[in-house]
Structure formats: C-alpha cells, structure tokens
Amino acid sequence: MQVDELNDTNCKTYLLVAGAKAALVDPVRERLDTYRQILGRRGLELTMILETHTHADHLMLSREAKDLLGAPVVMHRESPSPLVDRHVQDGETIFLGAERIEVIHCPGHTPDSVSYRVPGAVLTGDTLLIGGSGRCDFPGGDAGKQYDAVTTRIFALPDDTVVYPAHDYKGKTSSTIGAEKRGNPRFAGKTRDEYIALMAGLGLPFPEKIQQSLQVNQSGFEAAEVHFPLVADIAAMPALAPAEVAARLASAAPPLLLDVREPEEFVGELGHIPGALPVPMDALARRLPKLAGYVDREIVVVCRAGARSASAGAILGQAGFRHVFNLEGGMLAWAGAGLPVAR
Ligand SMILES: [Fe+2]
C-alpha cells in the first residue's frame, strides 16, 4: 500500500493507494479541489474517507463535499457526527482493495481517536506525534488513556513500522515506532502518572480555529445553520451519568429529555430514551419559545456521544434555562449501560 501526504503543511492528509483504489485520511475541506485533481490525474477510485478523530483545528468535509467525493466516511463508533457512514471499533479490519487496514482505538486526545495500521506503517492521528503527542485538554480528553494506548498498543507494533502523524510542527514527515519508543520525550522513561502531570501542565491556548471548526465537525451543521455557543461555555456544562438520569426520570419530578440528534438518528440504530422530545440542533433556536415552561425545571440534553448535546445545552443556558444538564456520553453510554431505549 502506498502512503502519500498531500498537504505539505503542519496539518496532514494522507492518500492510501492499493492498485487503482484509494482512501483519503483526514481530508481538509478547503483543499477538496486539490484532492479531486490528484485522484483524477492518477486515475484512482476513491473508495473511502478515513478520519482519525473529530478535529478541532480544521473543517472536516461537509455534506456537499462528501457528495462530491462520493465515498463513505469511516470513523470510530464514539464519533459524535451524524455524517459518518461506517462506524468502526477496535480490532476491526477495513479493506482497501485486497489490502488490510486495522483499526486501533486510541482514546485520549478525543474519545473517538483511532490509529490506522497499514502494511509496514501506522497512521497515528493526533495520538502519537513525532517527538510528541496530541493534547488531552479538550472535553472528553484523557491523558491516562492516551498513555495506555500509546505504550501498550502503538508501541507494541514492530520497531520498523513507519509512523505517519496527523500533525507535525517541525517539518518532519515520518518516524518509526522504534525511534519514538527510544526518543519521544513524552513517553521515553515516563510513568503513567508523570505523563498525566506533564499533559496537565502544558497550558496550551485553544487552537485558532476551534470556534469555527469543532462544533461544525461534531454536529454536521454549518456555522450558518446553527449559532454555536463559545467552546469555553460548553466546557462548563454540567453533565449527568446515564444511571443518574435514569434515577431522576423515575422520580416524582422527572426532567425533560431533549434529544438534539437528527430525525434519522432518533429512530436509528441507537434508538432514543422513552419519552424524549426530538428537537434537532438546527431547530432548537426557533423551538425555544415552546420550551418556556421549562425555564425553572430540569432539562437533560441528549445526543449520540455527548458533544452536540453540550453545545445545545449551552444554547439553552444562554437563553435563560437554569437547570440544564448534558447526558454524559450520549445514547452510546445510555445503551452501553443497558438502560431502556425505544425506536
Ligand atoms: Fe486533533
């Protein structure tokens, strides 16, 4: 399998080629025309778009861009976006032509981070960078899980495996597992606790484009369709675990459940919580007057993975609703806890 980097910037997009079939890994929306030209010039058939995680620093493909490319989007099952066509999980094999791509779940930078192992190489997303690792301070980030994923899963690959990261800020293009095991200062000689302390102390500013990118990438809506709240306000949203929400639903004063996913998802694979009110994110603003009776009552906002609902909760908070909670982990966590669903 041939691996080519297409952007030549510090944000990397890879083209995987096996025979006449190709996959794009982490395409950047604004470079769509370039990708289409490259595919056309080389006579390649794009069969899939692989994302290593939900990105916070660039716009992923829109619905329109996906249609233009005409290929399904593949992401880990914990990805929040409704634009994913195929959800994968740890250990799953994806075929590009006759060649294998293995999914390695690497939560830490985001809950939905994966590495894609291809023959002789691994695309590590923002999990393992050359001489570094992806930050773990966004909502859902977890430095301990990232340490475990890198040290027990990625570093278990053969030493000569080539490492292709999703970012590099020093002009490097690739490394190897052996070189990173020996020389990556984040991991070499570091215990798990030391790594967690190191990551907690980085004090990085939010990426420049987080406000324009993250919620668009999480929700599948464009910034023109939904007035997204500030990312900093979302981080302050109180969350309730599924069992706590179930307990409150069984109480004498149950909260209103507001499900902000799209209509197909409400009745789709994951179903919905019985009694939930479906209000997709793009309809939320105009439906607020109808929710006026709940200004002083509890509202629990629900989505697939808990990301879109955090945005929607912050919108409700700004509109004066005083007791808004996010269902932590969304319907994935609710179903994972064995709690009842309707379809
Ligand atoms: Fe990232």
Side-chain angles (χ1 to χ4, degrees), residues 214-227:
L214 183 63
Q215 293 174 88
V216 171
N217 292 339
Q218 288 173 339
S219 71
F221 288 114
E222 299 304 311
E225 296 169 320
V226 176
H227 186 68

Side-chain angles (χ1 to χ4, degrees), residues 182-267:
R182 286 190 302 274
N184 189 315
R186 294 265 170 98
F187 300 102
K190 293 273 191 310
T191 65
R192 191 177 196 269
D193 286 344
E194 284 167 348
Y195 183 74
I196 293 170
L198 189 160
M199 296 305 279
L202 290 180
L204 299 167
F206 272 161
E208 236 169 76
K209 290 188 183 153
I210 192 169
Q211 190 60 38
Q212 301 96 301
S213 307
L214 183 63
Q215 293 174 88
V216 171
N217 292 339
Q218 288 173 339
S219 71
F221 288 114
E222 299 304 311
E225 296 169 320
V226 176
H227 186 68
F228 291 114
L230 291 175
V231 171
D233 290 344
I234 296 167
M237 266 295 296
L240 298 175
E244 175 60 24
V245 172
R248 292 191 189 195
L249 286 172
S251 73
L256 172 69
L257 286 173
L258 206 61
D259 192 317
V260 297
R261 292 174 301 161
E262 297 187 36
E264 316 83 75
E265 296 178 274
F266 193 75
V267 293

Side-chain angles (χ1 to χ4, degrees), residues 52-58 109-110 113 125-127 134-135 138 166-167 169:
T52 56
H53 63 289
T54 302
H55 299 275
D57 64 332
H58 66 260
H109 176 60
T110 63
S113 288
D126 284 356
T127 298
R135 62 195 294 170
F138 297 153
H167 282 284
Y169 303 95

Side-chain angles (χ1 to χ4, degrees), residues 38-79:
I38 291 168
L39 290 164
R41 197 166 59 225
R42 293 175 60 173
L44 295 169
E45 180 201 350
L46 184 71
T47 60
M48 64 188 118
I49 297 154
L50 304 173
E51 296 287 355
T52 56
H53 63 289
T54 302
H55 299 275
D57 64 332
H58 66 260
L59 280 172
M60 295 161 72
L61 299 179
S62 62
R63 283 172 214 268
E64 292 71 26
K66 268 183 57 176
D67 288 348
L68 276 174
L69 287 171
V73 170
V74 179
M75 287 189 83
H76 186 261
R77 67 187 301 269
E78 287 184 42
S79 296

Side-chain angles (χ1 to χ4, degrees), residues 92-129:
E92 204 165 323
T93 300
I94 301 165
F95 282 91
L96 180 65
E99 301 221 50
R100 302 166 79 94
I101 302 170
E102 187 199 333
V103 178
I104 306 172
H105 188 207
C106 299
H109 176 60
T110 63
D112 64 356
S113 288
V114 295
S115 294
Y116 294 110
R117 184 186 186 189
V118 301
V122 61
L123 292 93
T124 52
D126 284 356
T127 298
L128 177 67
L129 306 179

Side-chain angles (χ1 to χ4, degrees), residues 327-340:
L327 172 63
E328 198 170 71
M331 284 306 295
L332 284 167
W334 180 272
L339 292 160

